[in-house]
Structure formats: C-alpha cells, structure tokens
Amino acid sequence: MSTSILVVEDEEKLARFVELELVHEGYIVSKAGDGRLALEMATNNSYDLILLDIMLPGLNGLEVLRRLGPDFKTPVILLTARDAVMDKVAGLDAGAVDYITKPFAIEELLARIRVALKLHNKMIDSSDTNKVDKEEGIYTWKGLKLDIKKHLVTYSGQEITLTNREFLMLETLLSNLDIVLSRETLLEKVCGYDYVGETNVVDVYIRFLRTKIDETFDVKMIQTIRGVGYVIKSE
Ligand code: CA
C-alpha cells in the first residue's frame, strides 16, 4: 500500500515542487490551497501524513490543526514561513509532530516525513494489544499512571492529554526510572536516529510535560540534571 500525503500550501509553485518530489519518492499526493479545503479534505479522507503551511488564506494552519482536534491521529508537519518560535511552539502544542522552516532543502523535508511516519507506526505498534503485556505496559509514579496499551496518561485518575511525542518522552523517562537520560538519548528515543533537527526540541517537550503534569498537579516529576539531561526519580 502506498503512503498518501496531503500537501496544504497556497504558493502554487512550491506546492507543485513538493508534489513532484513526493511523487518521485513514491508517495500518493493530494493538494489543498487554502485552510478550509484542507480541513474538509483531512476530515473526509484518511491520509498517512499532512504537510500543513501555517500562513494560508481562509483558515491558517494553526486554526486547521485546532479544529482537527486532539483525537486527530494523522501526523502533521507544519511549514513555517520564517523562524517564528511562537508559531512552532503553538503548532507542536496543538498536536503537530514536527515543523520545518521555509526555505527548506527537499532532502530535509523527506527525512522529516520518514521520521514522522516511522514514529507514527511505532505508536500504532506500541498500542497493539498483542505486543504489550498488561502488566508490562503500565508505568506509575506517585499518582501518575501511563498505560501504553490504552495510550492513556492519568494523574489521580484525571486524564492528561499528551501529543504522541510527549507520550513517548514520558514513557522513555518512566521506563528508565532513576537513570539520567541525555538530550541526545531522549531525541533518539523520541524522534529516531535519523532525526535532523536540534536537540533543544527535547527541552520544548520537557517544558510541555512540566506544564501539563508538574504544574497542574503540583509535583516535581521531571528533574533537570544540569549539563547532563533529565531524570524521573523513584524516591
Ligand atoms: Ca503560505
């Protein structure tokens, strides 16, 4: 089965260029030139991945992402026009798995697409009931419970909504309790060995996890070991 990608980009020349490259790589490509059409297409079809430009007529990319909602499972890579940090943070927080800044080298885009698809398949595998034993698939820390099989994180029974990467990051830290993990190790675990971005992406995800867990439930779960990395201690 071929992998299908929806390319959402209003700049016709860029959209066409990306389409040709993706088709050359063997992907099946659909295109949308504005946010409303993109939302409609993404809702009514099941693509394997979506490339979503942020600056779009109609609805912008971030708004499209928000309207698709937290239950939308297709991986989304955002295209940002410039080095707009707030757009990236907002985008990742809204559920995008990655972003790439324009102008980009096509090789980098292709690499990120491969990583996003691999990560997505890994998530599907890890939620496969045949592969994870009920006992093995659950990690706990104080009131926190992470259930791989159900892909569910709760604190004192209250559900915490995490993106795929936040979930993987938390799972990695919990499965290595008391072991300090470097940014590089976390990046490899969460994004794959061939990830081409910077390691400070790890800090962004740690910050999201702290906001959603540490701050919300007033605990000190993820500890920073200066110059080394991060750890969750069993105490
Ligand atoms: Ca645009």
Side-chain angles (χ1 to χ4, degrees), residues 147-166:
D147 188 329
I148 296 174
K149 206 172 96 178
K150 293 180 182 163
H151 198 258
L152 182 72
V153 179
T154 56
Y155 200 101
S156 300
Q158 193 178 327
E159 189 174 344
I160 303 164
T161 306
L162 299 182
T163 64
N164 284 350
R165 280 199 180 167
E166 289 164 0

Side-chain angles (χ1 to χ4, degrees), residues 9-11 53-57 102:
E9 170 60 72
D10 58 313
E11 289 162 54
D53 187 29
I54 289 187
M55 300 288 280
L56 289 170
K102 292 195 254 181

Side-chain angles (χ1 to χ4, degrees), residues 51-132:
L51 288 179
L52 181 61
D53 187 29
I54 289 187
M55 300 288 280
L56 289 170
L59 296 171
N60 73 36
L62 292 177
E63 190 55 35
V64 171
L65 207 50
R66 282 190 202 102
R67 293 198 189 186
L68 286 170
D71 293 332
F72 187 71
K73 294 299 176 214
T74 305
V76 175
I77 298 177
L78 291 171
L79 307 177
T80 65
R82 60 199 175 285
D83 207 28
V85 176
M86 283 321 292
D87 278 357
K88 290 171 186 172
V89 171
L92 292 171
D93 216 15
V97 297
D98 204 355
Y99 57 81
I100 188 163
T101 308
K102 292 195 254 181
F104 50 79
I106 195 70
E107 290 75 18
E108 185 181 359
L109 179 67
L110 294 173
R112 293 204 181 204
I113 288 171
R114 284 194 296 271
V115 170
L117 289 169
K118 201 168 75 183
L119 178 79
H120 186 65
N121 291 334
K122 202 159 114 188
M123 295 305 299
I124 291 169
D125 284 350
S126 69
S127 61
D128 188 333
T129 51
N130 297 322
K131 292 188 180 175
V132 181

Side-chain angles (χ1 to χ4, degrees), residues 132-151:
V132 181
D133 180 87
K134 197 188 175 190
E135 296 305 313
E136 282 177 11
I138 294 175
Y139 295 107
T140 55
W141 181 88
K142 292 192 175 174
L144 186 97
K145 186 173 164 190
L146 180 145
D147 188 329
I148 296 174
K149 206 172 96 178
K150 293 180 182 163
H151 198 258

